[in-house]
Amino acid sequence: MSSLPTGLKGRAELGVALLLGAAGVLVFLDASRLSVPYSQSDPVGPKTVPFIVAGLLVVCAILLAVNVMRGGKGEAEGGEDIELGHPADWKTVLPLAGAFVLNILLIDWAGWVISGTVLFWGSVLALGSRHYIRDGLLSVALSLLTFYGFYLGLGIALPAGLLEGIL
Amino acid sequence: MDVWSSLMDGFATALTPMNFLYAVIGVLLGTAVGVLPGLGPAMTVALLLPVTYALEPTSAFIMFAGIYYGGMYGGSTTSILLNTPGESSSVVTAIEGNKMAKAGRAAQALATAAIGSFVAGTIGTALLAVFAPIVVEFAVSLGAPSYFAIMVLALLAVTAVLGSSRLRGFASLGLGLAIGLVGIDSVTGQRRLTFGQPLLADGLDIVVVAVAIFAVGEALWVAAHLRRNPLHVIPVGRPWMGRKDWGRSWKPWLRGTAFGFPFGALPAGGAEIPTFLSYVTEKRLSKHPEEFGKGAIEGVAGPEAANNAAAAGTLTPLLALGLPTNATAAVMLAAFTTYGIQPGPQLFSSQGPLVWALIASLFIGNLLLLLINLPLAPLWAKLLQLPRPYLYAGILFFATLGAYSVNLQAFDLVVLLVLGALGFMMRRFGLPVLPLILGVILGPRIEGQLRKTLQLSAGDPAGLFSEPIAIVVYIIVALILVWPFVLKLIRRNRPQAAGAPSAPAAPSGSSAPSGSSAPAELPGRQEPAARTETTVHAPGSGHEDRTVRSDKKETP
């Protein structure tokens, strides 16, 4: 569980500071357009807490930027299945995210059984399994099982979509 | 005895056949998911929340009780059989447990963990049953100013004390509070941070946030760094212990329990510090100190008991004050609120039967764990060999299903993906997850208490200090915030005292798995943990860490 190779990584964390700063500014701008009706029952008003949160975020952003510039860096998280020796494997993550997005696009139109199959199959393949047929069958089975399980067991009707009437 | 009769009623509720069945299901699910790598108890509860929506609250909470203890127990199996712990609270168990397993004593390691968990869990639950009503009695007298102060303390303590970098903890807290702001302001009815999106008006569903941060973030993160050569799982038979093992285990169990419960009950306690303290204590008291680092049974028995007792301790502030102190408790608080139940002092009077059924089922869950898990250990070991593509694809699949089934909106899945990406980024750059989750859940409550406080004092800020408890809590808050600077000052005056000798043990062992981050970083898991130390980082100096040696305690 050693630290990742330095170099590129040291500066990438500035993106986190940027994100924090942007979030802080966003919270501030959003809160400043709120109107504050004067009222005896709510002296704090809707703006105070957002302003505090925005301040916290901006201060953290600045301190983090300073910290990173001075060479500080956050420790990447370890775990059972995690090997930090090599850089992030985007060839796995991006297809995985792709399968997820596909599911979002399909779920209302094509229904859970189809979109869930796409999600599981896509994820398994992205994660490196090469049993195409077996994985496909497994995906269909899992989607059908959860569809009926939720409908019959929990009374939650997941969308049937294209397969409406068949299921 | 009021507690006694209430508890008996609780048992009567929890032991009806259906509820008992839910307890069994909860224990099995909790352990199975807890054993699986990458899944902690918080994620287990979050993923299973939607499933329990169809149940009535009592049954749901009985199931949660099983999941809670099962998840805690499952983590220890993983850390004994695979040298890498899943939860930060199992880090210490892994040191001796895995050594024992490698020396062919996996059965004994699992047995002492299981029985120790049972002993600690049972004592811990009994303490919960005794103390929670006392805390409630005390808490009833507290007003909004005190609640505000206590919640601020909980947030700051978790952020500042746990984790390796305070700065990153506060960054995470800020993000969580911002997420908590989304939605309609409850007092003025104005929309905050909704960006004109009507679907955001009700705020972000906490289930979606928790599942995104814990499950999706974790799955994406693991996918980016998936181990190329799978870990070796040590095969195991049925756990058992000989007479000698019993003799060496029972005292560590009790001492571990004594460490675990109070720490679990504290606002920033968690399970990491007591497991670590227990380990150090057992090492010092052991008659076989030479075995430590080579598989000493005391080193498994003590920390495991501490871990489970802390799990029970955590429930005290959750039930009595409505104050979650770890990720799992935070998710359970979210579960309570989705059922329209507000944990806190009124809970024991308004939902008495439910609370006592929950406590009773904690006892039952504990016993079930022991009875079910001893024979099932070989099966759990097989679970560890589940091919990783299926495991992580499965996590994504069920995360999606769970988040979608809450509102049946594809929009929630977009939120899930965006926050999942945030969770990924946090893991990548060492932002702890726990402050974010607590920020999301406690943020709106803190704001509510703040507004109530100042409403009572008609806008006078002095109203914040109008209760003695509030003042005491603020003093503690101040101490927590100021302490690292004091420490820095002391260090600067005595530079040679702490500077040089701790240099080789720079914080390289990253050990901050899901849920909460470990304060106790053990230098290299393979090495005999002769020098155990806690690293404390000051805000703004994640790099130059000062190291607090705790081996000082070993030389009296």
Side-chain angles (χ1 to χ4, degrees):
Chain A
M1 221 114 322
S2 63
S3 54
L4 284 156
T6 38
L8 269 176
K9 198 189 164 253
R11 296 287 173 263
E13 205 176 344
L14 286 176
V16 181
L18 202 67
L19 181 93
L20 288 172
V25 171
L26 198 67
V27 173
F28 179 83
L29 290 179
D30 182 78
S32 52
R33 54 143 202 97
L34 295 173
S35 65
V36 184
Y38 178 77
S39 111
Q40 198 68 43
S41 64
D42 184 29
V44 175
K47 286 182 169 189
T48 314
V49 172
F51 282 154
I52 296 171
V53 173
L56 175 68
L57 282 167
V58 170
V59 168
C60 282
I62 295 167
L63 288 178
L64 189 66
V66 171
N67 180 276
V68 173
M69 294 308 280
R70 282 186 183 169
K73 64 175 195 258
E75 283 168 33
E77 189 180 282
E80 288 106 337
D81 288 335
I82 292 171
E83 215 167 37
L84 292 172
H86 54 84
D89 179 9
W90 295 106
K91 274 187 209 144
T92 305
V93 178
L94 293 179
L96 205 58
F100 200 98
V101 172
L102 216 54
N103 172 54
I104 297 176
L105 296 176
L106 286 176
I107 194 162
D108 283 335
W109 172 68
W112 168 251
V113 175
I114 292 175
S115 72
T117 303
V118 170
L119 172 68
F120 190 81
W121 203 357
S123 305
V124 169
L125 295 182
L127 285 162
S129 176
R130 288 294 168 264
H131 307 277
Y132 301 100
I133 308 291
R134 190 178 84 185
D135 296 346
L137 292 175
L138 203 69
S139 310
V140 175
L142 206 55
S143 304
L144 277 172
L145 220 68
T146 46
F147 182 85
Y148 283 110
F150 267 62
Y151 184 68
L152 300 173
L154 303 171
I156 297 173
L158 295 167
L162 289 180
L163 301 175
E164 184 115 42
I166 304 171
L167 293 169
Chain B
M1 277 291 278
D2 192 30
V3 168
W4 188 251
S5 63
S6 314
L7 187 59
M8 284 302 118
D9 289 344
F11 271 108
T13 314
L15 282 172
T16 57
M18 271 326 273
N19 284 343
F20 185 71
L21 183 68
Y22 286 123
V24 175
I25 295 173
V27 166
L28 284 175
L29 274 177
T31 317
V33 181
V35 166
L36 288 174
L39 285 158
M43 203 200 292
T44 314
V45 177
L47 280 176
L48 292 173
L49 255 180
V51 178
T52 59
Y53 283 166
L55 303 177
E56 57 158 327
T58 315
S59 309
F61 284 104
I62 285 168
M63 204 160 128
F64 281 143
I67 293 170
Y68 186 61
Y69 277 166
M72 295 285 170
Y73 174 81
S76 69
T77 307
T78 319
S79 53
I80 289 170
L81 297 181
L82 270 179
N83 189 24
T84 45
E87 291 89 52
S88 50
S89 48
S90 315
V91 170
V92 181
T93 310
I95 305 170
E96 298 299 324
N98 191 250
K99 289 282 184 316
M100 281 183 76
K102 279 192 179 135
R105 295 194 0 109
Q108 285 79 5
L110 287 178
T112 199
I115 301 167
S117 295
F118 168 72
V119 170
T122 306
I123 298 175
T125 311
L127 291 174
L128 166 71
V130 172
F131 279 113
I134 299 175
V135 176
V136 165
E137 242 168 69
F138 159 77
V140 172
S141 64
L142 300 181
S146 297
Y147 270 106
F148 176 70
I150 292 173
M151 285 179 182
V152 169
L153 171 68
L155 272 190
L156 290 184
V158 164
T159 310
V161 176
L162 302 180
S164 55
S165 165
R166 281 158 57 105
L167 169 60
R168 288 169 178 80
F170 278 106
S172 169
L173 176 66
L175 290 172
L177 291 172
I179 293 171
L181 283 176
V182 175
I184 290 177
D185 169 42
S186 58
V187 180
T188 64
Q190 297 182 80
R191 289 177 179 189
R192 295 193 296 198
L193 292 173
T194 59
F195 312 109
Q197 170 60 264
L199 290 170
L200 283 174
D202 289 335
L204 293 170
D205 198 301
I206 187 67
V207 175
V208 177
V209 177
V211 168
I213 297 287
F214 287 122
V216 179
E218 179 77 12
L220 292 176
W221 175 236
V222 172
H225 292 278
L226 196 59
R227 211 172 267 285
R228 300 280 155 83
N229 37 340
L231 288 165
H232 175 63
V233 179
I234 297 163
V236 66
R238 188 179 170 156
W240 62 276
M241 289 205 297
R243 181 190 291 270
K244 197 163 153 266
D245 296 320
W246 280 94
R248 288 177 61 177
S249 289
W250 72 270
K251 280 187 204 155
W253 290 338
L254 296 182
R255 283 192 289 259
T257 309
F259 277 121
F261 187 84
F263 270 97
L266 285 176
E272 295 87 4
I273 299 168
T275 50
F276 169 74
L277 283 179
S278 163
Y279 182 81
V280 175
T281 310
E282 294 314 328
K283 191 171 172 238
R284 193 172 51 179
L285 294 177
S286 173
K287 291 196 187 81
H288 313 269
E290 74 285 351
E291 276 187 33
F292 272 78
K294 296 184 196 108
I297 196 165
E298 293 93 337
V300 181
E304 260 314 290
N307 183 10
N308 262 51
T314 303
L315 294 175
T316 313
L318 176 68
L319 293 177
L321 299 173
L323 196 68
T325 55
N326 68 19
T328 317
V331 178
M332 283 180 60
L333 181 72
F336 273 105
T337 32
T338 46
Y339 282 103
I341 298 165
Q342 283 296 335
Q346 289 82 28
L347 182 68
F348 277 76
S349 47
S350 66
Q351 296 282 347
L354 185 143
V355 178
W356 288 107
L358 175 68
I359 293 176
S361 52
L362 287 171
F363 281 109
I364 296 167
N366 240 313
L367 185 65
L368 282 175
L369 267 181
L370 190 68
L371 297 180
I372 292 176
N373 284 333
L374 287 180
L376 285 186
L379 182 74
W380 299 140
K382 285 219 177 66
L383 259 188
L384 287 174
Q385 283 157 338
L386 187 71
R388 295 308 185 250
Y390 295 115
L391 173 60
Y392 291 102
I395 291 176
L396 277 181
F397 182 86
F398 283 104
T400 308
L401 186 60
Y404 185 76
S405 63
V406 180
N407 300 318
L408 298 182
Q409 287 168 358
F411 177 74
D412 281 347
L413 296 182
V414 178
V415 175
L416 193 70
L417 185 61
V418 170
L419 292 181
L422 180 70
F424 176 90
M425 185 212 77
M426 292 173 71
R427 284 171 173 82
R428 164 80 160 77
F429 293 109
L431 298 187
V433 179
L434 181 59
L436 180 132
I437 292 292
L438 283 186
V440 174
I441 290 175
L442 284 182
R445 287 157 183 269
I446 287 188
E447 185 179 15
Q449 297 289 0
L450 175 68
R451 289 165 103 164
K452 209 189 275 177
T453 303
L454 290 183
Q455 183 189 333
L456 293 174
S457 71
D460 183 1
L464 288 172
F465 304 95
S466 62
E467 292 186 15
I469 297 294
I471 297 173
V472 172
V473 173
Y474 285 128
I475 293 171
I476 300 173
V477 168
L479 284 178
I480 288 175
L481 290 180
V482 170
W483 178 241
F485 297 103
V486 176
L487 215 66
K488 205 176 201 170
L489 226 67
I490 297 171
R491 281 287 149 68
R492 202 164 283 167
N493 292 343
R494 291 185 306 153
Q496 74 281 22
S502 61
S508 56
S510 82
S511 56
S514 62
S516 51
S517 36
E521 301 201 345
L522 299 152
R525 292 196 183 99
Q526 279 73 27
E527 287 163 31
R531 278 198 220 139
T532 38
E533 32 192 308
T534 344
T535 49
V536 179
H537 302 227
S541 74
H543 193 56
E544 341 106 62
D545 316 303
R546 281 139 306 112
T547 313
V548 182
R549 307 284 297 268
S550 33
D551 56 344
K552 280 174 199 154
K553 291 173 196 157
E554 292 172 25
T555 47

